[in-house]
């Protein structure tokens, strides 16, 4: 009974924060205190409670470092002129009639090559959103198209860490899983492209030529300015560690900022920490970035990652697992997986934790491990992006400066889950007959 009460209060805190527009960081911190009180009531010592909270935070130190580097890289790209250069030339050759579809396909291609949603957002995503702002497209729809593209590769690229994690947990062959994933994504892919094109119908791009020309006057353009973004993509394909990859891009951009744009060390430092800001109409196209632009996300990740130790070491989810097992015996598996992974995403801070907890809850209910792997890819890999405080979807949107509402315009997520759930339901009742 206590476990149900704690989980209920956990969700109430989060929903109240969203409804009354209270900082989600505050709600997450309250939930960390709530979990600590639960552990104390279950006779865990203060030392054990601290250890449980610290374990999750310690395990995410790499993610926290990557987020810090992402903030810095987006600031220095703006100061060096890389973003301005891409906006200036990108607006001249992109067709407004197929803009949202183009954004989705562009980000899908990069995410498939690199296998990372964060890496895609920090390169193709930033480029897409910058051009979208310059051409006055809807940032909510554009953000959704970017997120859809980011997760196309995050789900089904041979270099995807989430695909590798699923294969490792289920002890299945990665390439067999990829084949199954492609088979089940064809219809969702077609529906996603069609939906974005429908949103594009009747839209006439209104390019802010005055601001774009102003950018041209502020920066010294050189074709070398494309190198910082290309280096991220190329080194990711070569499987260079993401932290080293980003540091290389930052160093290149610092050199370009000082040599090509004549910026001082003080200006470089300011852009890395506080971002780049212009007090002119052109500023709305390129302002932003810097370490502090990611500070809220760092607090969200740091706080919510402390939950993992409590889920792992206490009996908080034991009753939930028994309930889930009963649901698997009565309902189509993919339907249960979709609902269960969505609920787990509410309590977890990231995609990895969602995948691991979903596997732990579901593994006893599958005879074929390849079926389990496929259903996990179509549920646990995708559902975390629906939760505003889960870093899976929110972080890419924070990187590109898209509204949080873009989470719900990521149609690739909708169709992957919906189409495969419908097929599962049909197959379940046909088999039952």
């Amino acid at each position: 009974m206590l476990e149900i009460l704690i989980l209920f209060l956990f969700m109430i805190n989060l929903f109240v924060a969203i409804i009354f527009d209270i900082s989600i960081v505050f709600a997450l911190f309250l939930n960390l205190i709530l979990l600590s009180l639960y552990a104390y009531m279950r006779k865990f010592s203060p030392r054990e409670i601290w250890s449980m909270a610290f374990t999750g935070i310690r395990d995410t130190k790499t993610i926290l470092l990557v987020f810090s580097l992402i903030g810095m890289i987006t600031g220095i790209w703006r100061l060096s002129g890389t973003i301005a250069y891409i906006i200036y030339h990108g607006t001249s050759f992109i067709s407004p009639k197929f803009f949202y579809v183009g954004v989705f396909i562009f980000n899908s291609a990069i995410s498939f090559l690199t296998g990372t949603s964060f890496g895609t957002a920090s390169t193709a995503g930033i480029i897409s959103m910058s051009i979208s702002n310059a051409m006055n497209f809807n940032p909510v729809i554009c953000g959704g198209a970017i997120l859809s593209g980011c997760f196309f590769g995050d789900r089904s690229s041979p270099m995807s860490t989430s695909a590798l994690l699923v294969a490792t947990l289920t002890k299945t062959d990665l390439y067999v899983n990829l084949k199954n994933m492609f088979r089940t994504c064809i219809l969702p892919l077609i529906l996603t492209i069609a939906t974005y094109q429908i949103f594009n119908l009747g839209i006439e791009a209104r390019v802010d030529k005055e601001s774009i020309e102003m950018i041209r006057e502020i920066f010294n353009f050189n074709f070398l300015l494309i190198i910082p973004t290309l280096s991220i993509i190329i080194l990711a394909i070569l499987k260079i560690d993401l932290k080293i990859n980003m540091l290389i891009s930052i160093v290149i951009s610092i050199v370009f900022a000082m040599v090509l744009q004549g910026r001082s060390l003080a200006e470089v430092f300011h852009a890395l920490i506080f971002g780049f800001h212009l007090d002119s109409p052109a500023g709305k196209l390129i302002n932003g970035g810097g370490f502090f632009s990611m500070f809220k996300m760092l607090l969200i990740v740091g706080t919510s990652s402390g939950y993992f130790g409590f889920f792992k070491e206490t009996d908080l989810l034991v009753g939930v697992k028994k309930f889930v097992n009963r649901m698997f015996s009565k309902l189509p598996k993919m339907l249960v997986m979709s609902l269960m992974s969505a609920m787990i995403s509410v309590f977890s801070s990231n995609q990895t934790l969602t995948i691991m907890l979903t596997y732990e809850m579901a593994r006893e209910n599958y005879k074929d491990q390849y079926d389990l792997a496929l259903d996990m890819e179509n549920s646990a890999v995708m559902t975390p992006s629906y939760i505003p405080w889960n870093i899976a979807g929110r972080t890419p949107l924070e990187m590109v400066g898209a509204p949080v509402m873009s989470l719900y315009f990521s149609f690739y997520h909708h169709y992957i889950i919906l189409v495969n759930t419908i097929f599962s339901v049909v197959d379940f009742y046909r088999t039952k007959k």
Side-chain angles (χ1 to χ4, degrees), residues 157-176:
S157 168
M159 290 179 286
S160 168
T161 53
S162 64
L164 181 61
L165 175 60
V166 170
T168 301
L169 289 171
T170 57
K171 296 180 175 61
T172 52
D173 183 86
L174 173 63
Y175 291 97
V176 174

Side-chain angles (χ1 to χ4, degrees), residues 1-7 38 42 310-311 314-328 336 340 343-344 347 357 360-361 364-365:
M1 188 65 185
L2 178 61
E3 284 74 17
I4 295 175
L5 176 63
I6 294 296
L7 292 174
Y38 165 75
R42 288 303 185 200
F310 293 97
F311 293 145
T314 68
D315 294 331
L316 189 60
L317 299 179
V318 170
V320 176
K321 187 172 183 178
K322 292 179 180 178
F323 174 76
V324 167
N325 288 337
R326 290 198 298 271
M327 290 300 99
F328 269 114
V336 177
M340 176 180 65
M343 290 303 299
I344 290 173
F347 298 98
L357 288 175
E360 185 60 32
M361 292 285 185
E364 297 172 1
N365 297 282

Side-chain angles (χ1 to χ4, degrees), residues 41-100:
M41 293 171 70
R42 288 303 185 200
K43 308 302 180 184
F44 286 91
S45 69
R47 184 185 182 90
E48 289 173 320
I49 294 171
W50 167 252
S51 177
M52 282 187 277
F54 183 72
T55 296
I57 297 172
R58 182 189 60 204
D59 291 343
T60 58
K61 62 180 183 297
T62 299
I63 296 176
L64 297 175
L65 177 57
V66 168
F67 284 180
S68 301
L69 291 173
I70 287 169
M72 293 179 185
I73 207 172
T74 54
I76 197 64
W77 276 5
R78 286 168 165 82
L79 183 70
S80 67
T82 291
I83 296 295
Y85 183 82
I86 292 170
I87 291 174
Y88 184 82
H89 291 287
T91 53
S92 63
F93 66 80
I94 289 179
S95 172
K97 295 181 180 179
F98 307 100
F99 183 77
Y100 295 135

Side-chain angles (χ1 to χ4, degrees), residues 165-209:
L165 175 60
V166 170
T168 301
L169 289 171
T170 57
K171 296 180 175 61
T172 52
D173 183 86
L174 173 63
Y175 291 97
V176 174
N177 291 342
L178 292 175
K179 180 180 177 181
N180 291 333
M181 280 187 268
F182 277 112
R183 175 173 53 81
T184 58
C185 85
I186 295 174
L187 181 56
L189 193 59
I190 294 171
L191 291 172
T192 300
I193 292 173
T195 303
Y196 282 125
Q197 188 54 40
I198 290 171
F199 273 93
N200 218 137
L201 294 176
I203 295 178
E204 293 184 9
R206 300 179 302 279
V207 180
D208 189 349
K209 293 183 178 179

Side-chain angles (χ1 to χ4, degrees), residues 105-305:
I105 293 174
F106 175 45
N107 284 271
S108 295
I110 299 302
S111 68
F112 185 77
L113 289 172
T114 61
T116 165
S117 58
F118 291 175
T120 301
S122 65
T123 50
I126 290 175
I127 292 169
S128 301
M129 185 55 71
S130 298
I131 294 174
S132 173
N133 292 336
M135 299 178 74
N136 289 293
F137 279 95
N138 189 322
V140 176
I141 307 298
C142 184
I146 291 170
L147 191 61
S148 285
C150 287
F151 270 80
F152 176 81
D154 188 80
R155 172 183 178 268
S156 53
S157 168
M159 290 179 286
S160 168
T161 53
S162 64
L164 181 61
L165 175 60
V166 170
T168 301
L169 289 171
T170 57
K171 296 180 175 61
T172 52
D173 183 86
L174 173 63
Y175 291 97
V176 174
N177 291 342
L178 292 175
K179 180 180 177 181
N180 291 333
M181 280 187 268
F182 277 112
R183 175 173 53 81
T184 58
C185 85
I186 295 174
L187 181 56
L189 193 59
I190 294 171
L191 291 172
T192 300
I193 292 173
T195 303
Y196 282 125
Q197 188 54 40
I198 290 171
F199 273 93
N200 218 137
L201 294 176
I203 295 178
E204 293 184 9
R206 300 179 302 279
V207 180
D208 189 349
K209 293 183 178 179
E210 182 180 346
S211 296
I212 290 175
E213 288 302 324
M214 196 177 296
I215 289 173
R216 180 69 181 87
E217 295 172 5
I218 294 170
F219 293 96
N220 175 28
F221 280 176
N222 188 300
F223 73 93
L224 294 175
L225 291 173
I226 200 70
I227 292 177
T229 55
L230 288 179
S231 70
I232 290 278
I233 297 170
I234 293 170
L235 294 179
I237 294 172
L238 296 175
K239 298 185 179 180
I240 302 299
D241 183 88
L242 184 58
K243 299 186 293 299
I244 297 174
N245 188 344
M246 289 185 166
L247 282 171
I248 291 172
S249 182
I250 288 173
V251 170
I252 295 172
S253 296
I254 289 173
V255 172
F256 286 172
M258 299 180 71
V259 175
L260 297 179
Q261 310 301 337
R263 302 292 184 173
S264 66
L265 276 175
E267 290 175 303
V268 167
F269 179 79
H270 188 276
L272 289 170
I273 304 302
F274 301 103
F276 180 77
H277 301 278
L278 280 177
D279 293 325
S280 70
K284 67 180 181 179
L285 303 183
I286 57 174
N287 283 351
F291 169 80
F292 277 105
S293 70
M294 298 299 294
F295 190 67
K296 183 178 180 180
M297 187 54 59
L298 290 169
L299 291 176
I300 290 174
V301 175
T303 304
S304 56
S305 60

